[in-house]
Amino acid sequence: MHQPRSFLDNFFLIIKGLCMGAANKVPGVSGGIVAFVGGFYEEFIYSLQKLNSKAVKLLFNGRFKSFYQYTNAQFLMLLIFGMLVSYFSVSRILDYFLDHNELFVWATFFGMILGSIYYIAKDYDSWNQRTIPFGILGLIIGVSISFLSPAKENDNLLFIFFCGIVSVSGMTLPGLSGSFILILMGNYVLLLVDSVNALYDTFSEIFSGDFGFLKNPERIQTLKILGIFTLGSATGLVTFSHLLSFVLKHYKATTTAVILGFITGSLGVVWPWKRTMYKVDDMGNLILDSNGDKIVLNYERYFPHLGHAETWWAILFVVLGILVLLLLDWYGKNRNEKKQVRTSR
């Protein structure tokens, strides 16, 4: 049985959902880091693990209260509500700043990840001959992913299902960005732009009484792709949660070492000083997605020029990102102290 949360705790849980949603939106940033640093990562994984056959039986037998308690439904609903609100609000604002102040956005996230490394490492005292190699392994994998080149778009349904499984990694694995992985797999635009737009257009047409899309094979294929992707995502979410629950329970020190190494290696993905390279055709013309936006191909990283004022502003935003994490650390400690006081009474 989970301890009851106060109104303020529930409010902050929605805020954390907002942060997770915004982080998952940005290629290179992981919503799992927010969960890890926010102090609710293990509860998030264990709650997802409860979405199993027992939960299905409780639901179909009409034991809704038991289902609600068993799955920690209040926690998951508040968190998911925050993510959904983020998609229509915070992530939209984030898109605006990425278009107009990209360097400062990346600098802030870079600072937040630096702060998260400090946050996780400061209380980790299990470095030994067994955990150090796993930490190095996580570091190597993180760095390697940072510098991979994207593949070509692939609409094979089996591959789409696999993309769905991988895409939820940003929610469950701190340091691994699902959006960035989809870019590397070549299907970011197909699955997170074109498919979502097709769904939006379909709902708009249905509400206006227009069912002409049923005779549009291209639209039907895109919706089929979205359905397979969603199925893969759900499969990945449940599968990853069970796997992570097991390793956290039996190999917590080793798992934390891998996560620390992985997050450190992922700093290359969010390095602020980089030029965005866009996809072009054989004639060198920019290729646009269904929204009319340029398609990101990869990033060319460089070292900043210390003589530019913009560089120092970016460094200030790095510090701001670190301070955000320190504030979360302070909130977590304060919340735990209050819990202990309530429990001792």
Side-chain angles (χ1 to χ4, degrees), residues 69-85:
Q69 293 174 341
Y70 176 73
T71 58
N72 197 16
Q74 182 183 13
F75 168 83
L76 286 175
M77 286 192 299
L78 290 173
L79 204 60
I80 292 170
F81 174 72
M83 292 182 199
L84 290 174
V85 171

Side-chain angles (χ1 to χ4, degrees), residues 193-297:
V193 179
D194 294 345
S195 297
V196 174
N197 287 341
L199 182 65
Y200 177 82
D201 292 341
T202 301
F203 276 124
S204 297
E205 291 168 10
I206 289 173
F207 285 128
S208 63
D210 180 6
F211 293 88
F213 69 90
L214 293 172
K215 298 179 181 179
N216 184 340
E218 186 178 340
R219 175 77 66 81
I220 295 298
Q221 177 63 16
T222 306
L223 291 174
K224 187 189 295 183
I225 286 172
L226 181 60
I228 296 296
F229 175 68
T230 304
L231 183 62
S233 298
T235 302
L237 199 60
V238 175
T239 304
F240 272 133
S241 63
H242 280 78
L243 177 62
L244 287 169
S245 175
F246 176 81
V247 295
L248 282 169
K249 186 175 181 179
H250 296 90
Y251 308 102
K252 187 171 182 179
T254 304
T255 305
T256 305
V258 173
I259 289 173
L260 263 172
F262 198 90
I263 294 175
T264 304
S266 73
L267 283 171
V269 180
V270 289
W271 177 253
W273 294 277
K274 57 191 172 189
R275 299 179 188 90
T276 306
M277 295 184 290
Y278 298 101
K279 190 175 286 189
V280 294
D281 59 22
D282 295 335
M283 302 295 292
N285 300 313
L286 287 168
I287 300 175
L288 304 180
D289 61 29
S290 58
N291 281 341
D293 298 324
K294 294 176 285 187
I295 300 172
V296 176
L297 180 64

Side-chain angles (χ1 to χ4, degrees), residues 37-321:
V37 174
F40 61 96
Y41 180 72
E42 289 189 32
E43 183 177 0
F44 178 57
I45 296 300
Y46 291 142
S47 298
L48 289 175
Q49 186 196 16
K50 295 296 185 181
L51 299 175
N52 51 28
S53 57
K54 182 178 177 180
V56 173
K57 287 178 182 176
L58 290 172
L59 188 62
F60 279 98
N61 289 334
R63 298 174 60 187
F64 301 117
K65 185 176 180 181
S66 298
F67 171 83
Y68 186 84
Q69 293 174 341
Y70 176 73
T71 58
N72 197 16
Q74 182 183 13
F75 168 83
L76 286 175
M77 286 192 299
L78 290 173
L79 204 60
I80 292 170
F81 174 72
M83 292 182 199
L84 290 174
V85 171
S86 173
Y87 184 80
F88 296 104
S89 57
V90 177
S91 62
R92 298 286 181 180
I93 298 170
L94 201 56
D95 285 342
Y96 172 83
F97 282 110
L98 279 169
D99 287 337
H100 295 83
N101 300 98
E102 186 178 17
L103 173 62
F104 299 152
V105 174
W106 286 118
T108 305
F109 278 114
F110 186 80
M112 290 177 70
I113 293 177
L114 277 178
S116 70
I117 293 169
Y118 162 76
Y119 175 88
I120 299 168
K122 68 182 176 64
D123 295 324
Y124 184 73
D125 54 2
S126 299
W127 290 116
N128 52 47
Q129 292 181 339
R130 187 168 60 89
T131 56
I132 289 175
F134 281 97
I136 294 172
L137 177 64
L139 177 67
I140 292 171
I141 295 173
V143 171
S144 300
I145 289 175
S146 301
F147 294 97
L148 285 175
S149 297
K152 291 183 178 179
E153 186 174 288
N154 185 343
D155 62 357
N156 178 277
L157 294 182
L158 189 60
F159 184 70
I160 294 296
F161 182 79
F162 180 67
C163 286
I165 292 175
V166 173
S167 71
V168 298
S169 58
M171 288 176 61
T172 54
L173 291 172
L176 185 61
S177 165
S179 298
F180 186 71
I181 294 298
L182 285 180
I183 287 179
L184 294 179
M185 297 176 80
N187 277 356
Y188 178 82
V189 174
L190 175 64
L191 298 175
L192 296 188
V193 179
D194 294 345
S195 297
V196 174
N197 287 341
L199 182 65
Y200 177 82
D201 292 341
T202 301
F203 276 124
S204 297
E205 291 168 10
I206 289 173
F207 285 128
S208 63
D210 180 6
F211 293 88
F213 69 90
L214 293 172
K215 298 179 181 179
N216 184 340
E218 186 178 340
R219 175 77 66 81
I220 295 298
Q221 177 63 16
T222 306
L223 291 174
K224 187 189 295 183
I225 286 172
L226 181 60
I228 296 296
F229 175 68
T230 304
L231 183 62
S233 298
T235 302
L237 199 60
V238 175
T239 304
F240 272 133
S241 63
H242 280 78
L243 177 62
L244 287 169
S245 175
F246 176 81
V247 295
L248 282 169
K249 186 175 181 179
H250 296 90
Y251 308 102
K252 187 171 182 179
T254 304
T255 305
T256 305
V258 173
I259 289 173
L260 263 172
F262 198 90
I263 294 175
T264 304
S266 73
L267 283 171
V269 180
V270 289
W271 177 253
W273 294 277
K274 57 191 172 189
R275 299 179 188 90
T276 306
M277 295 184 290
Y278 298 101
K279 190 175 286 189
V280 294
D281 59 22
D282 295 335
M283 302 295 292
N285 300 313
L286 287 168
I287 300 175
L288 304 180
D289 61 29
S290 58
N291 281 341
D293 298 324
K294 294 176 285 187
I295 300 172
V296 176
L297 180 64
N298 212 326
Y299 301 98
E300 181 186 353
R301 297 163 183 83
Y302 62 92
F303 286 102
H305 194 286
L306 295 178
H308 294 162
E310 188 182 54
T311 299
W312 292 102
W313 276 108
I315 292 172
L316 182 64
F317 276 94
V318 171
V319 174
L320 176 66

